[in-house]
């Protein structure tokens, strides 16, 4: 079990993946209990601020008719359209002004599930002497999975904050967890606040 304040160390970064309205209940591509990650992530964000650990927030940010949409032959309903309400971060997510946004899904020629996919994030983290990333957000088996695997491929230690993420389906979530563990990531849960 991980306590955010005790866990975060120099050389760490916190990556909050795609905590956007469209991935929460009522959104265009809702994840069951997706908004349940918000209070957990708020504790990690607060602890990261106290520890001077840099905070990154990725967002899916699609142009109209993006190739990942069903209407264009892709897998998903239209979601996270650039500048739409659905693409906004959940209103209760307490991202500080110092959080650095990582925008993805903007490319016309491919989708980008991972915050590391053609965004330059690995270079940015190395420039800040980051060696380990703590990852939470949505969805556990899609963009969190891809981001964690991307971090491992780039040589970062990676920890999944287990109760700060939710899968599209439980079965997909279980197989994503296995895959992330096999890639060398750790899966942690957060201690309950006392
Ligand atoms: Zn997307």
């Amino acid at each position: 079990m991980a306590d955010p304040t005790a866990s975060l160390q120099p050389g760490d970064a916190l990556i909050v993946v795609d905590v956007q309205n469209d991935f929460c209940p009522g959104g265009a591509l809702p994840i069951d209990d997706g908004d349940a990650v918000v209070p957990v992530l708020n504790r990690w964000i607060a602890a990261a601020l106290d520890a001077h650990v840099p905070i990154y927030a990725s967002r899916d940010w699609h142009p109209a008719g993006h190739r990942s949409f069903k209407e264009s032959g892709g897998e998903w309903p239209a979601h996270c359209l650039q500048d739409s309400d659905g693409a906004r971060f959940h209103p209760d997510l307490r991202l500080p002004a110092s959080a650095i946004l990582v925008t993805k899904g903007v490319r016309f020629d491919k989708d980008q599930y991972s915050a590391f996919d053609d965004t330059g994030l690995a270079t940015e983290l190395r420039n800040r002497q980051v060696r380990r990333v703590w990852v939470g957000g949505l969805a556990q088996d899609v963009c969190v999975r891809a981001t964690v695997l991307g971090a491992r491929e780039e040589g970062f230690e990676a920890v999944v904050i287990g109760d700060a993420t939710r899968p599209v389906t439980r079965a997909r979530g279980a197989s994503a967890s296995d895959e992330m563990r096999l890639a060398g990531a750790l899966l942690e849960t957060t201690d309950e606040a006392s």
Side-chain angles (χ1 to χ4, degrees), residues 39-132:
V40 182
L41 283 167
N42 282 340
R43 292 178 55 204
W44 282 86
I45 289 166
L49 277 172
D50 284 347
H52 305 289
V53 160
I55 300 164
Y56 294 84
S58 72
R59 59 177 183 179
D60 217 13
W61 198 250
H62 292 308
H66 188 254
R67 59 180 292 137
S68 70
F69 297 169
K70 281 181 180 155
E71 66 197 57
S72 306
E75 189 179 353
W76 309 107
H79 62 279
C80 295
L81 285 163
Q82 292 168 2
D83 288 317
S84 66
D85 282 342
R88 285 184 213 287
F89 293 117
H90 189 283
D92 295 335
L93 185 69
R94 292 202 287 270
L95 279 177
S98 60
I100 298 167
L101 302 192
V102 181
T103 297
K104 62 188 186 57
V106 293
R107 293 186 59 126
F108 297 107
D109 57 343
K110 65 170 182 176
D111 205 356
Q112 295 156 286
Y113 288 168
S114 166
F116 287 90
D117 185 358
D118 264 345
T119 60
L121 178 59
T123 301
E124 156 73 7
L125 294 178
R126 283 188 200 104
N127 287 344
R128 289 182 169 234
Q129 282 80 49
V130 169
R131 294 180 303 277
R132 179 172 66 172

